[in-house]
Amino acid sequence: MTNSAQAPEDFCEITPTANIGVTTHGGRAKCLQRLVRLDMPVPLTLALSFGAVKDIAEGRMPDTARMMASFGDAPLVCVRPSSQDPDWGGPRAVLNVGINDARHADLCKQIGEEAANVMYLRFVKEFAVHVARLDPDMFEAPKSDSAQALAHVLNAYELETDTPFPQDPAVQLAQVLRSMARAWDGTTARLLRSASGAPADAGLGLIVQKMALGVGPGESGSGRIHFVDAVSGKPAIVGRYTRQSQQHETEVPENTLYIGRDPRGPSFQDEVNDVFNELVDWSGILRQRLREEMQVEFTVEQGALCVLDAIRVQRSSRAGVAIAVALANDGIITRNDALLRTQPHALSELLHPQIDPSADRSVCARGIAASPGAATGRLVFDSATAQANAARGEASVLVRRETTPEDIRGMHAASAVLTEKGGVTSHAAVIARGLGVPCIVGATDIKIDSRKKQILTQDGRVLSEGETMTIDGTSGEILFGAAKMVEAAQDGAFRSLLSWADDVREIGVRANADTPADAAVAHNFEAEGIGLCRTEHMFFEQDRLTVMREMIFADSSADRHAALDRLLPMQRNDFIDLFDIMAGKPVCIRLFDLPLHEILPATREGLHDLAEALDRPLSEVTQRVDAISEFNPMLGMRGVRLGIEMPEIYVMQARAIFEAAIEMGRRGTPFVPEIMIPLVSAKREVELVKTQIDGVAAELRAHGASDFDYRLGVMVETPRAALRAGDIAMNASFLSFGTNDLTQMTYGLSRDDAGRFMSGYVQKSVFPEDPFHMLDHEGVGELMEIGAARARAARPNIVLSMCGEHGGNPESIAFCCAAGFDYVSCSPFRVPVARLAAAHLAISQK
Amino acid sequence: MTNSAQAPEDFCEITPTANIGVTTHGGRAKCLQRLVRLDMPVPLTLALSFGAVKDIAEGRMPDTARMMASFGDAPLVCVRPSSQDPDWGGPRAVLNVGINDARHADLCKQIGEEAANVMYLRFVKEFAVHVARLDPDMFEAPKSDSAQALAHVLNAYELETDTPFPQDPAVQLAQVLRSMARAWDGTTARLLRSASGAPADAGLGLIVQKMALGVGPGESGSGRIHFVDAVSGKPAIVGRYTRQSQQHETEVPENTLYIGRDPRGPSFQDEVNDVFNELVDWSGILRQRLREEMQVEFTVEQGALCVLDAIRVQRSSRAGVAIAVALANDGIITRNDALLRTQPHALSELLHPQIDPSADRSVCARGIAASPGAATGRLVFDSATAQANAARGEASVLVRRETTPEDIRGMHAASAVLTEKGGVTSHAAVIARGLGVPCIVGATDIKIDSRKKQILTQDGRVLSEGETMTIDGTSGEILFGAAKMVEAAQDGAFRSLLSWADDVREIGVRANADTPADAAVAHNFEAEGIGLCRTEHMFFEQDRLTVMREMIFADSSADRHAALDRLLPMQRNDFIDLFDIMAGKPVCIRLFDLPLHEILPATREGLHDLAEALDRPLSEVTQRVDAISEFNPMLGMRGVRLGIEMPEIYVMQARAIFEAAIEMGRRGTPFVPEIMIPLVSAKREVELVKTQIDGVAAELRAHGASDFDYRLGVMVETPRAALRAGDIAMNASFLSFGTNDLTQMTYGLSRDDAGRFMSGYVQKSVFPEDPFHMLDHEGVGELMEIGAARARAARPNIVLSMCGEHGGNPESIAFCCAAGFDYVSCSPFRVPVARLAAAHLAISQK
């Protein structure tokens, strides 16, 4: 029955035992308490809680006279924000609160008139502009350390407000606190922090700290220091120190001493050796106890160190990985902590060269960032020129209105790709990500004139073939000329981190890889296998394309066989190469899935060449090509439909796969290939293809082939296949959800055509996100859940996976984990992201 | 403990009390028992059950001596099949069993030598060919009533078999029975009856009937008679009678008397008046007691009538309706029975002219029967010629490789449509069914050369513009020249039957109707409203098309408004016309849903005309048209996506609909239009459009329009809309499942492109049926059930319907009833079928 409810404490002194929390007083207050607990030389500091600051904003002021009194006789203080997360921002700090005519007079004696003038003048200006909200132009003084300048600003203040400049330190502090509390509620501040992920009710704390002067007699000054390289993350002592200065100067004055031996000037280490050593001593303790690389803000007052603040060192993604791994290796944090400190998306920056963050950017236009990384090259408008440039060792940016399978060779040869049409899952985007080539699609701001070989920008500039441009596929920016680059960074720390990720993650990660080059990347990034090998890309090399076309034009099954017999050894070698590179890891081969007409030429020249190659009249070739064209190729005769209509293709592929497996066995590295049937919508389709393929295997065995094994599965990419997964599973040892097509069909939305309106749709929040980019859990996801449940009910040990473009997204991986999938498969360059994301998920679920 | 298990009765006499059933002894045996019960003069008849016949086939013979003995002294008998359903067929009857040398000698005395020779000879031949399976050529006799001829065949028999012709009647009967029992198990018989829907284990009964001779002294002969016209179903006495003949003559001998005063010969009525009167007396009793129009097979033996058999009169679909309605009107059967006796599909024959079933057919090629009915006309290869012919009153058959929206005017003007490409739900098929124009699509046997205006048939014939052809859209046959036609028959009986159907059915039937002409057909067929009015067809008239194109080319919202302002009054009048025709019945208007590029010209000439109309350079127009072309238009910017991207179109349409409703109110016939949003995949799409449309209504009301009401709903045609129906229902007062698109997207299969392989797929049983033709219950159906359940959970009073092409199928109607839908909507010409199918369903569920 004691009256324990006291009036809430408006403020408290930051002591080792004070009740200070990140969620009540903000990160800066909490960090300062940690410094105090380490017994660092921190000036006396008071903290105002989120609640106290909210009260202030609403007019309930704390006892500022009592606050000022805590600091002793005639103190100067500074006020700084302390939000929960430093990224959420906050109002700017105000220094020298408490200065007035009397204190100024004292300071003149103590530190000299000029320095005293600068301090008073600084406060009056800041107060006038940021607290009293007066016009900054009024407070421009001729020379900022003269008595005349000080008189000018004090006078200007009185003129503008009709009151003298407040002399009572308690009044000054009250007004500063109110101004900062209210700024937190301004629209701009709200928008900015909301963009950084702050909740709408994020609170602000404030700290009031006794000023350490940094100006005056003896060694005095202020600086900041940290002990790690912000770009590489390697140990390094970096910072600067300015004599006779107060903290928070933005410009670097001339009397600055660089920390770390810098050619630009004399060294802090040499000049102020005691303080430097003291800081270095503290650095180890800080890193150990705060479990982070910190930047320390400090003041030297007559030779004595004061630590004012410490914040997490800003760093590049690469440095982030290096720091986290070093902390874990030193036993300061756990490996799981190190994993959680790296955002999966940040890893993509390390896989490709990037534009140097500090470089100038001359932006010409913007498009959709479709494949990360940056590259510079000469503009080319066709694949042949890109290949010719590559032969001369010259980098190209391949520019097309949209790409078709005929451009694949050019995309291989180019350093970057730019298209006017398309979305994140358009042909150009998918292929570029697979190749790891930077790519921008849907750049509707520019007009591409392929005939004139020119790009027309929105502001009327014309860029012609051969001019140099830079494509930033990470940001979607198209830049004029060359840009300074930062190289890719898959160093030891990167590999360590990912191996720790593999130790904890619970879902498999494979790569989508079509070619030996893709497979090599996948293997390098330690994918656990190939989850999707699209065989149709194997047919685009010129010699094969011609044979493929002959096959399509064959009038009989026998003629088709003759053409396919020529493709068989090529396919077999493709598979041997792939199996070899993957060194025993599983490879899932999707049978041919391309609308036939995509193999055929689209241009007049192409038709002419084809007619010549086939030795048939142009008119006949044109008519045949026309006859197999489709209104909606995506919904036409492709995948298993073609496999059933022209069984010879799948038979040849199965034979090539089996013969490759037999060859691997002969070499002493036996291999069990996985064969996947695309675009299934009915159980019977699977039965028919299974019969064909089992037949090929039986025939090979009957003809004395050494024994081999294989697994047959189905790619679930139509809504019906998901709904009928129970039936389909009866003949499939695995199901892989192809979320690109499944999304297309669930929405009734072509990924190639969605680009035209998707950005508008997302802007209007019609779709919360582009469903080709972020898996739609509500629609597509429900079909996947239904499919997974039915498949497992029919065949409990069935292997389930996702192999669409979504496979590398942390959100999709979370979905697949929750649905109990065995693995995800994504483009090779997403494998590290997926491995880390899967680890995050496993840790967060523990 | 009595020994009640007797040896199974091998055969029994057909008496009024014998235990004879359709499922044990077959339809003929049962019908004969009914005749016996009516006390008709039926000769003594024995029946063998299915089991007994099966025993015979397996070699367990009945006591044929005892059977023959039942018929008294030296009888002649005939054996006929009695399968459960007459459509399932059976072996041919065998007459004169029991004849031998001795009986032949008796007959020579009794009926004369020639007649006796004919009878013996007939039996020997039938026995030799059909029982002993000897070569028919051996049994050709020079003159079939001569003793020489008889000797010839008896001799031939002995030569071939090395045994004399069997003289024991019991042996003859045993062999005949065994032969017929075994024939039933033959492959051909199995296949034939399986095609008529017989189960694999269908049984055969046999009847053995004492012969009434029909030859001999006095008035003797045989004939058949029925009392209804087989084509019209109206009362009429029809048949034929041949003196001195036995039943089952296939050719009509010269001494035939036609029944019913026939110009071809003397009349039975005049010549054999007593028997005629007796038959007419029996006819009324038969109709009353057998509750069916029967054909009676009879023999006159020395002036006395013997009734041998009675079967259901074969009839046209039209006669079937007339007979059923007459029986119900006479109180002989119930109205429900009358409904059940008419197959819904049979009604389609009555809605369109058909090729006379008796006419010769000179088939040129076959395609997919896409819109029922038949028409003759001159070949034309473009819409303009079809319109020109129509202006001269001349019928055309419009031939196109495939139709596009630009062909709609031509299809209106043509009498029939033929396309080389496409499936049952291709553009041509859908439009033709809507118009009621006979149509064949996917006629891949022929090659159409539009430039030369010629058709090339598979056997090398060339048909040129202006030649006459006939299109049978019911069978899919393309005929050379003109064919004899039977007119459409929507007579009183047709209307009575459908009004009875309306009395019992429990699900609503609306029509899909886009134009006033469609609406008039829908109203004529008593649809309960329009369930789907596709407004895009309203934009294909030349004057509107130009304005629509101007709208598409407009650079600003203001310019788009200007173009749409010109379309507004046209649209308003469209809707006033529709509302007027439907006379207060509901009309559900689907907002514009067409890929923009479909409105644009596809040909070089069209582009040129457009450039002229718009007064812009051809190059610009070509480029713009190219820029909005899509890879997969079906999955592109159409439906609600266009409505959100260019809101002006939907705003104009809503305004036109509301202004039309206001005008109806002004005329004293207030009207509540239904507005439907197409191609929805997310709830927010509905919210945005609803906001727009409610805004238009609010604006009209604010500007003093008299009050009006409307309902807003959603067309569910993407799998996602079905899955998210719960969300979507929050803003929709009705949901209509568009099963065409829903099927497309569930299967990932374009209806326009499926034609190329669908028949192969169905042949190989990959799909049990074309899912565009027969609703796929397992996949598409499950999505509909999910959607319906979720929509109702969110909004219990929501109105649910189906408006795809499946809407008129009895199977789909059953599905919709089971799912608790409120109505189905189908093309106007399917409305009668749907009304009857719904009635069948309601009756069968009682």
Side-chain angles (χ1 to χ4, degrees), chain A residues 38 111 139 160 302 338 381 403 439 450 673 688 695 728 748 755 796 801:
Chain A
L38 294 177
I111 60 171
F139 296 89
E160 280 296 299
Q302 302 193 39
F381 292 80
T403 63
C439 175
S450 305
L688 286 174
I728 289 170
S801 62

Side-chain angles (χ1 to χ4, degrees), chain A residues 57-102:
Chain A
E58 291 165 3
R60 291 182 297 280
M61 297 304 296
D63 184 346
T64 50
R66 194 160 63 85
M67 290 175 82
M68 287 309 276
S70 332
F71 293 102
D73 187 30
L76 296 188
V77 299
C78 74
V79 185
R80 278 180 288 174
S82 174
S83 55
Q84 189 170 328
D85 185 312
D87 287 345
W88 299 352
R92 48 183 290 156
V94 180
L95 273 60
N96 303 337
V97 181
I99 200 166
N100 54 16
D101 295 348

Side-chain angles (χ1 to χ4, degrees), chain B residues 190-482:
Chain B
R190 280 176 179 281
L191 284 178
L192 281 173
R193 67 179 180 263
S194 150
S196 299
D201 62 350
L204 175 72
L206 291 172
I207 62 152
V208 184
Q209 190 175 53
K210 184 169 186 186
M211 293 288 295
L213 286 190
V215 285
E219 180 64 44
S220 291
S222 67
R224 53 188 60 169
I225 187 167
H226 58 87
F227 303 92
V228 78
D229 183 83
V231 173
S232 72
K234 291 188 177 147
I237 301 177
V238 189
R240 67 169 198 245
Y241 170 75
T242 309
R243 283 181 165 146
Q244 298 300 326
S245 79
Q246 295 191 300
Q247 67 247 29
H248 293 293
E249 310 276 6
T250 42
E251 69 280 22
V252 180
E254 53 191 85
N255 53 342
T256 291
L257 302 176
Y258 284 92
I259 302 176
R261 299 187 190 278
D262 189 291
R264 283 171 292 184
S267 143
F268 176 64
Q269 180 167 4
D270 298 337
E271 305 258 328
V272 201
N273 188 255
D274 284 356
V275 175
F276 176 82
N277 286 340
E278 200 179 343
L279 282 165
V280 169
D281 287 348
W282 280 118
S283 79
I285 296 165
L286 270 178
R287 180 168 183 266
Q288 183 75 38
R289 300 290 293 278
L290 269 63
R291 307 166 67 237
E292 187 42 289
E293 290 290 352
M294 301 303 284
Q295 170 176 288
V296 174
E297 193 170 334
F298 63 94
T299 294
V300 179
E301 196 171 35
Q302 300 192 40
L305 174 66
C306 293
V307 171
L308 310 182
D309 199 7
I311 57 168
R312 197 173 160 276
V313 175
Q314 291 288 319
R315 63 200 71 177
S316 72
S317 296
R318 178 183 191 165
V321 172
I323 291 169
V325 169
L327 286 169
N329 279 339
D330 294 345
I332 296 171
I333 62 174
T334 65
R335 288 179 171 184
N336 282 358
D337 285 337
L339 290 167
L340 290 177
R341 286 188 184 192
T342 311
Q343 281 311 303
H345 287 300
L347 285 191
S348 359
E349 278 183 37
L350 312 186
L351 310 180
H352 307 281
Q354 301 288 334
I355 295 178
D356 188 325
S358 64
D360 287 337
R361 300 181 147 237
S362 166
V363 176
C364 147
R366 285 183 174 79
I368 298 168
S371 176
T376 296
R378 291 183 185 281
L379 291 186
V380 302
F381 291 80
D382 58 82
S383 291
T385 314
Q387 288 176 265
N389 283 2
R392 285 198 307 277
E394 202 175 279
S396 308
V397 173
L398 177 62
V399 181
R400 304 287 287 160
R401 293 203 61 198
E402 68 214 11
T403 64
T404 66
E406 293 181 77
D407 292 315
I408 293 213
R409 307 281 290 167
M411 293 178 74
H412 262 281
S415 300
V417 175
L418 168 63
T419 70
E420 188 182 324
K421 290 187 155 193
V424 285
T425 48
S426 64
H427 180 264
V430 171
I431 301 300
R433 280 196 294 277
L435 296 172
V437 171
C439 174
I440 294 175
V441 298
T444 47
D445 288 355
I446 57 167
K447 292 282 157 258
I448 295 172
D449 188 329
S450 305
R451 208 166 39 77
K452 292 195 189 157
K453 304 198 170 185
Q454 286 179 338
I455 292 175
L456 182 68
T457 68
Q458 219 164 20
D459 57 2
R461 284 184 62 165
V462 175
L463 295 156
S464 300
E465 188 172 59
E467 289 192 46
T468 298
M469 299 208 77
T470 299
I471 295 296
D472 185 347
T474 307
S475 72
E477 286 172 334
I478 305 157
L479 310 179
F480 293 111

Side-chain angles (χ1 to χ4, degrees), chain A residues 87-390:
Chain A
D87 287 345
W88 299 352
R92 48 183 290 156
V94 180
L95 273 60
N96 303 337
V97 181
I99 200 166
N100 54 16
D101 295 348
R103 183 80 178 103
H104 175 250
D106 287 349
L107 281 169
C108 287
K109 289 173 208 156
Q110 197 180 329
I111 60 171
E113 190 187 340
E114 283 186 5
N117 287 348
V118 169
M119 285 177 68
Y120 197 4
L121 203 130
R122 178 174 181 168
F123 178 62
V124 175
K125 268 168 128 177
E126 285 187 358
F127 190 93
V129 175
H130 300 295
V131 179
R133 314 268 169 198
L134 303 180
D135 180 356
D137 293 345
M138 309 290 299
F139 296 89
E140 287 306 325
K143 186 169 181 295
S144 61
D145 58 0
S146 68
Q148 191 193 357
L150 180 60
H152 169 79
V153 298
L154 286 167
N155 194 40
Y157 184 93
E158 193 164 341
L159 269 174
E160 280 296 299
T161 60
D162 278 334
T163 52
F165 188 77
Q167 293 295 311
D168 181 350
V171 169
Q172 290 177 359
L173 179 61
Q175 294 202 31
V176 167
L177 292 177
R178 184 164 53 215
S179 158
M180 289 172 80
R182 288 189 176 163
W184 183 250
D185 284 331
T187 310
T188 315
R190 278 176 181 283
L191 283 179
L192 281 174
R193 66 177 178 263
S194 147
S196 298
D201 62 350
L204 176 72
L206 291 172
I207 62 150
V208 184
Q209 189 176 55
K210 184 169 185 187
M211 291 289 295
L213 286 191
V215 285
E219 180 63 45
S220 292
S222 67
R224 52 188 61 168
I225 188 168
H226 56 88
F227 304 90
V228 79
D229 183 81
V231 173
S232 72
K234 293 188 177 147
I237 301 176
V238 189
R240 65 171 199 243
Y241 170 75
T242 309
R243 284 180 166 146
Q244 299 300 325
S245 78
Q246 296 190 299
Q247 67 247 34
H248 295 295
E249 309 276 6
T250 43
E251 69 281 21
V252 179
E254 52 190 85
N255 52 342
T256 291
L257 303 176
Y258 286 91
I259 301 176
R261 298 185 192 277
D262 190 290
R264 284 171 291 184
S267 143
F268 176 64
Q269 180 167 2
D270 298 336
E271 305 258 328
V272 202
N273 188 256
D274 284 358
V275 175
F276 174 82
N277 287 339
E278 199 179 343
L279 281 166
V280 170
D281 288 347
W282 279 117
S283 77
I285 298 166
L286 269 178
R287 179 168 182 265
Q288 184 74 37
R289 300 289 293 277
L290 269 63
R291 308 165 67 236
E292 184 46 288
E293 289 290 352
M294 303 301 286
Q295 170 174 289
V296 174
E297 195 170 331
F298 63 93
T299 295
V300 179
E301 197 172 35
Q302 302 193 39
L305 173 67
C306 294
V307 172
L308 310 181
D309 199 7
I311 58 169
R312 197 176 160 274
V313 175
Q314 292 289 317
R315 63 200 72 179
S316 71
S317 297
R318 178 183 190 166
V321 171
I323 291 169
V325 169
L327 287 169
N329 280 337
D330 293 345
I332 296 171
I333 62 175
T334 65
R335 289 179 170 184
N336 283 358
D337 285 336
L339 290 167
L340 290 176
R341 285 186 185 193
T342 311
Q343 282 310 305
H345 287 300
L347 285 192
S348 359
E349 277 182 39
L350 311 186
L351 309 180
H352 307 278
Q354 302 286 334
I355 295 177
D356 188 324
S358 64
D360 287 337
R361 303 182 145 235
S362 168
V363 176
C364 149
R366 284 184 174 79
I368 298 168
S371 176
T376 296
R378 292 183 184 280
L379 292 185
V380 302
F381 292 80
D382 56 82
S383 291
T385 314
Q387 288 176 264
N389 284 2

Side-chain angles (χ1 to χ4, degrees), chain A residues 633-651:
Chain A
M634 202 50 76
L635 306 176
M637 188 154 98
R638 44 179 284 241
V640 70
R641 295 165 194 161
L642 189 64
I644 286 173
E645 195 73 8
M646 293 190 186
E648 299 85 357
I649 301 178
Y650 282 7
V651 165

Side-chain angles (χ1 to χ4, degrees), chain A residues 478-816:
Chain A
I478 304 156
L479 309 179
F480 293 112
K484 196 182 161 203
M485 295 288 180
V486 180
E487 277 313 298
Q490 302 144 36
D491 51 18
F494 175 88
R495 296 198 169 270
S496 293
L497 192 80
L498 287 175
S499 79
W500 301 344
D502 292 346
D503 292 341
V504 297
R505 69 185 159 86
E506 285 161 356
I507 191 167
V509 176
R510 293 196 191 180
N512 301 342
D514 307 337
T515 61
D518 292 345
V521 176
H523 191 65
N524 177 40
F525 287 144
E526 297 176 52
E528 288 165 79
I530 295 179
L532 174 63
C533 168
R534 287 163 289 223
T535 52
E536 48 280 6
H537 294 149
M538 296 174 175
F539 295 96
F540 288 124
E541 292 182 36
Q542 197 53 52
D543 52 339
R544 301 184 182 191
L545 200 51
T546 306
V547 182
M548 199 69 189
R549 286 170 176 166
E550 281 174 34
M551 198 234 23
I552 294 165
F553 277 79
D555 286 317
S556 69
S557 178
D559 286 357
R560 278 203 289 272
H561 268 299
L564 286 165
D565 283 349
R566 291 166 58 200
L567 291 172
L568 175 69
M570 305 181 191
Q571 277 265 283
R572 185 175 51 223
N573 288 338
D574 290 334
F575 294 130
I576 291 174
D577 285 353
L578 278 181
F579 298 167
D580 211 37
I581 291 167
M582 294 310 291
K585 290 179 177 175
V587 175
C588 180
I589 298 157
R590 182 177 75 179
L591 296 172
F592 194 79
D593 177 20
L594 198 68
L596 280 183
H597 84 270
E598 275 203 34
I599 301 176
L600 296 176
T603 63
R604 222 180 147 71
E605 297 74 37
L607 284 168
H608 193 268
D609 291 351
L610 178 57
E612 241 167 28
L614 297 170
D615 194 21
R616 302 223 191 174
L618 179 62
S619 62
E620 185 195 322
V621 171
T622 309
Q623 205 174 13
R624 292 283 287 270
V625 169
D626 189 46
I628 60 174
S629 79
E630 297 181 305
F631 297 103
N632 297 284
M634 202 50 76
L635 306 176
M637 188 154 98
R638 44 179 284 241
V640 70
R641 295 165 194 161
L642 189 64
I644 286 173
E645 195 73 8
M646 293 190 186
E648 299 85 357
I649 301 178
Y650 282 7
V651 165
M652 180 278 284
Q653 291 197 300
R655 195 180 175 94
I657 293 166
F658 295 150
E659 288 180 356
I662 292 166
E663 172 61 22
M664 295 306 287
R666 196 173 293 142
R667 296 182 187 179
T669 52
F671 191 82
V672 179
E674 298 171 0
I675 301 178
M676 182 155 71
I677 311 172
L679 210 73
V680 164
S681 64
K683 162 189 164 190
R684 180 97 181 114
E685 291 170 326
V686 184
E687 287 170 356
L688 286 174
V689 173
K690 182 170 161 41
T691 305
Q692 272 172 28
I693 290 178
D694 289 347
V696 174
E699 197 198 321
L700 279 170
R701 286 178 181 134
H703 286 74
S706 56
D707 203 24
F708 60 94
D709 205 358
Y710 58 97
R711 278 190 277 278
L712 192 74
V714 167
M715 184 144 168
V716 176
E717 39 189 344
T718 67
R720 197 173 191 282
L723 292 168
R724 305 307 305 166
D727 295 349
I728 289 170
M730 305 305 291
N731 289 297
S733 63
F734 60 88
L735 296 186
S736 191
F737 289 84
T739 52
N740 295 358
D741 274 20
L742 192 58
T743 300
Q744 277 196 137
M745 290 165 191
T746 304
Y747 277 87
L749 180 56
S750 151
R751 54 185 171 176
D752 292 321
D753 300 311
R756 249 165 86 207
F757 59 91
M758 187 57 80
S759 62
Y761 246 54
V762 174
Q763 267 166 24
K764 292 179 190 122
S765 298
V766 184
F767 297 160
E769 294 278 350
D770 178 346
F772 292 110
H773 191 67
M774 186 85 88
L775 183 72
D776 160 47
H777 290 205
E778 292 190 335
V780 179
E782 184 179 7
L783 284 175
M784 292 171 72
E785 286 164 345
I786 290 173
R790 293 182 182 177
R792 260 193 302 252
R795 192 177 182 125
N797 64 344
I798 196 162
V799 173
L800 299 173
S801 62
M802 173 200 273
C803 65
E805 280 287 308
H806 302 94
N809 281 356
E811 302 75 15
S812 314
I813 293 169
F815 179 87
C816 291

